[in-house]
Amino acid sequence: MSILVGLLLVVAIIAITYIGVEVLGLSALFGIVLPYVAVACFIIGFIYRIVKWAKSPVPFRIPTTCGQQKSLDFIKQNKIENPSSKGWVVVRMILEVLTFRSLFRNTKAELTEDGNLAYQWEKWLWLFALMFHWGFFFVLVRHLRFITDPVPGFVQLWEKIDGVFWVNLQALYLTGFIMVAGLGLLLCRRLFLDKVRYISLLNDYFPLFLLLGIGCSGILMRYLTHVDVTRIKELAMGWVTFNPTVPGDISIMFYIHLALVCVLLIYFPLSKLMHAGGIFFSPTRNMANNNRMVRHENPWNPVVKVHTYEEYEDEFRDKMRAVGLPLDKDE
Amino acid sequence: MYKPTKIIIALVIFLAIVTFPIWSSIGSDSVSPDVEISLDTPAINALGDDASCIYDTDYMRANHMKVLSEWKVEVVRNGNRMIVTEDGREYLASLENTCFECHSNYEDFCLKCHEYSNVDPSCWECHLEPVTDSNVSEEV
């Protein structure tokens, strides 16, 4: 059911854009107002979520570890899996963000025929996630050519590397296809693995369909239904110079692509996609395992009014002396 | 807020990355939300008011590379140099003899958009690139 709803939502966005631009002629709404609103929602929403997380106390020091912790000198510590200093936490975090090491550890649990629990090799989630995220990153880098003037050198360099394969004298950008393939495989994982489908919700399917819509419309525009790139860049440069105009007719395919991207930007801070910022706030990832060296104080501990023995003795010294009780201070 | 300095530094970095297209364009002279391509060549002027390209302007703006690619396949693979459009006009399929006959102003026509949108077309892998101010020294 949620599969269908997710798909229908994306189809509805496409239909609304088509009607809005082609039938009602609202190209200024979809080409200027919507992008500004979307970017504003994205930036404000992102900062709001980050600040909200930053205000949450971390009651316990709970790093997850899977290696030898710091111990006696002759026992070798696994510094990446079980960091005890800030520096190694940073190393672990960088590797986690760039290479998804915790997904690499994913295993499949299955009961064998004779009733034993067996864990099996399962790297597909890691591979598909890596394909999608890195593909998306490089696709975004390539898109800078539409929205910067002059275009930075690293974008041009990356276009050369990414477009190393030519089909019919046209560069075939690999990262775009890798991104869509990654998304498609991640979707198949949710559709065809029973256990994963059981735990999948609308907020899992919707971003997948949305991103697939973005990827496919982009690929269609580049390789099949060509669009007027110069006018699109004129529109985009209008946004970034805060002097927006709609420069003539642009194909509906572009508006659909843009509307899907805008919905993604608006949806981003509201959804699980915020893991992009949230990963840095995971207490299991961003804390050093130094429980035995440094006391972790729970920041939400209330200030407790205590009455120490010293104060107790001060209060009752005379009475205690009178009945002959031993005293720490007896003057 | 816990660890406010770290959070603020991270948010500033986030904002700097997200707004990169805005601040990278500030102060550069070449920022031009309008690109004017010139149709002022002797051949086009000679055609007068009847001047029309192979397809209409909007189609050519978006699909000229597709047209060129189809021509290339016709000529190189099928050996057919005469292209007939849907409304019956005949053209010699040739970049240098047909396209450049009218659009002889390479720098004010092709390069205008290609440089603006950072496009590096593959035409000059086979064809000889028209001489411009910037590549004339390389030719010598």
Side-chain angles (χ1 to χ4, degrees):
Chain A
M1 186 61 198
S2 47
I3 306 169
L4 212 61
V5 176
L7 189 63
L8 282 176
L9 279 171
V10 175
V11 172
I13 296 163
I14 294 172
I16 289 168
T17 314
Y18 185 85
I19 294 167
V21 177
E22 289 286 278
V23 182
L24 304 173
L26 299 170
S27 50
L29 178 68
F30 285 90
I32 295 169
V33 180
L34 182 63
Y36 274 124
V37 170
V39 171
C41 284
F42 174 71
I43 291 176
I44 294 167
F46 200 99
I47 291 174
Y48 172 78
R49 287 292 294 266
I50 294 291
V51 169
K52 207 175 158 195
W53 276 326
K55 282 179 176 167
S56 313
V58 180
F60 304 108
R61 183 173 286 279
I62 48 166
T64 49
T65 60
C66 47
Q68 173 60 48
Q69 76 165 320
K70 187 173 167 58
S71 178
L72 300 168
D73 283 343
F74 60 87
I75 297 173
K76 197 176 168 227
Q77 181 195 357
N78 189 336
K79 285 180 172 157
I80 290 176
E81 305 292 12
N82 201 331
S84 56
S85 65
K86 268 186 189 169
W88 283 102
V89 169
V90 171
V91 172
R92 178 159 92 143
M93 183 62 97
I94 289 172
L95 287 171
E96 176 66 35
V97 170
L98 300 183
T99 65
F100 312 163
R101 295 178 84 239
S102 54
L103 288 189
F104 192 73
R105 264 193 279 282
N106 186 33
T107 49
K108 186 168 74 178
E110 256 186 351
L111 281 176
T112 57
E113 279 177 13
D114 42 355
N116 293 325
L117 185 62
Y119 292 94
Q120 291 172 21
W121 186 94
E122 212 276 277
K123 305 287 183 219
W124 299 116
L125 175 62
W126 169 79
L127 183 71
F128 301 159
L130 213 57
M131 282 165 68
F132 161 65
H133 283 86
W134 279 105
F136 197 22
F137 173 75
F138 286 119
V139 167
L140 286 178
V141 167
R142 280 197 284 104
H143 273 73
L144 284 175
R145 88 176 168 106
F146 296 115
I147 204 163
T148 54
D149 192 17
V151 178
F154 69 88
V155 177
Q156 302 181 3
L157 177 71
W158 181 252
E159 279 183 347
K160 286 270 173 292
I161 299 168
D162 200 348
V164 68
F165 288 116
W166 281 11
V167 172
N168 204 15
L169 291 182
Q170 186 186 11
L172 201 79
Y173 289 130
L174 292 176
T175 47
F177 291 99
I178 291 173
M179 170 192 153
V180 170
L183 281 169
L185 291 163
L186 286 170
L187 180 65
C188 287
R189 190 179 150 268
R190 290 200 180 275
L191 291 180
F192 298 120
L193 298 184
D194 294 341
K195 285 175 213 153
V196 185
R197 191 171 58 206
Y198 183 70
I199 57 166
S200 294
L201 303 167
L202 178 60
N203 59 17
D204 298 307
Y205 290 116
F206 176 62
L208 277 172
F209 284 123
L210 192 63
L211 283 159
L212 269 172
I214 291 168
C216 292
S217 59
I219 284 175
L220 273 178
M221 259 195 294
R222 182 171 163 77
Y223 301 100
L224 295 172
T225 63
H226 297 282
V227 289
D228 190 336
V229 171
T230 304
R231 284 201 183 127
I232 289 170
K233 180 147 185 183
E234 285 171 354
L235 177 72
M237 290 313 293
W239 302 333
V240 295
T241 53
F242 296 103
N243 186 20
T245 48
V246 177
D249 273 350
I250 305 175
S251 159
I252 182 68
M253 207 63 198
F254 167 74
Y255 283 107
I256 289 171
H257 187 68
L258 184 67
L260 291 171
V261 172
C262 289
V263 171
L264 179 73
L265 286 176
I266 295 168
Y267 179 68
F268 199 97
L270 309 170
S271 67
K272 62 185 258 177
L273 301 178
M274 265 309 286
H275 67 268
I279 178 90
F280 299 102
F281 289 89
S282 315
T284 54
R285 296 276 129 199
N286 68 9
M287 303 183 101
N289 180 20
N290 54 6
N291 283 305
R292 297 180 178 197
M293 290 166 262
V294 183
R295 182 175 135 79
H296 181 82
E297 257 180 71
N298 182 352
W300 79 44
N301 275 351
V303 183
V304 180
K305 197 176 175 324
V306 290
H307 192 60
T308 61
Y309 178 73
E310 229 173 354
E311 290 162 350
Y312 171 87
E313 201 180 270
D314 285 345
E315 198 180 336
F316 298 107
R317 182 162 291 111
D318 297 337
K319 292 189 171 93
M320 287 168 79
R321 192 184 294 118
V323 294
L325 284 171
L327 291 167
D328 282 355
K329 266 196 286 179
D330 193 6
E331 71 274 348
Chain B
M1 197 156 74
Y2 299 100
K3 298 182 180 169
T5 10
K6 273 187 189 170
I7 300 291
I8 288 164
I9 290 170
L11 285 178
V12 167
I13 293 171
F14 164 73
L15 275 176
I17 293 171
V18 173
T19 56
F20 172 75
I22 295 172
W23 55 260
S24 75
S25 306
I26 292 172
S28 98
D29 303 329
S30 60
V31 172
S32 50
D34 287 307
V35 178
E36 292 285 327
I37 49 174
S38 166
L39 296 173
D40 182 20
T41 65
I44 295 175
N45 289 337
L47 286 170
D49 293 336
D50 301 334
S52 69
C53 202
I54 291 145
Y55 299 99
D56 66 87
T57 312
D58 274 341
Y59 184 82
M60 286 307 278
R61 280 183 68 110
N63 292 287
H64 58 279
M65 58 293 210
K66 198 164 143 188
V67 174
L68 287 170
S69 178
E70 282 162 6
W71 282 17
K72 184 213 75 181
V73 172
E74 273 302 305
V75 172
V76 178
R77 303 209 181 138
N78 303 341
N80 174 20
R81 276 219 173 256
M82 289 312 289
I83 302 290
V84 185
T85 60
E86 276 179 20
D87 52 355
R89 285 169 295 149
E90 283 197 353
Y91 287 97
L92 177 75
S94 165
L95 176 70
E96 290 175 40
N97 295 322
T98 305
C99 300
F100 286 179
E101 192 189 334
C102 287
H103 301 291
S104 51
N105 50 345
Y106 175 61
E107 272 176 284
D108 290 325
F109 189 74
C110 306
L111 276 188
K112 267 276 152 64
C113 289
H114 288 169
E115 284 188 344
Y116 181 63
S117 311
N118 190 38
V119 177
D120 185 13
S122 49
C123 308
W124 322 124
E125 298 289 321
C126 304
H127 293 276
L128 199 60
E129 188 175 3
V131 176
T132 65
D133 292 340
S134 54
N135 70 12
V136 68
S137 53
E138 296 167 25
E139 301 280 327
V140 175

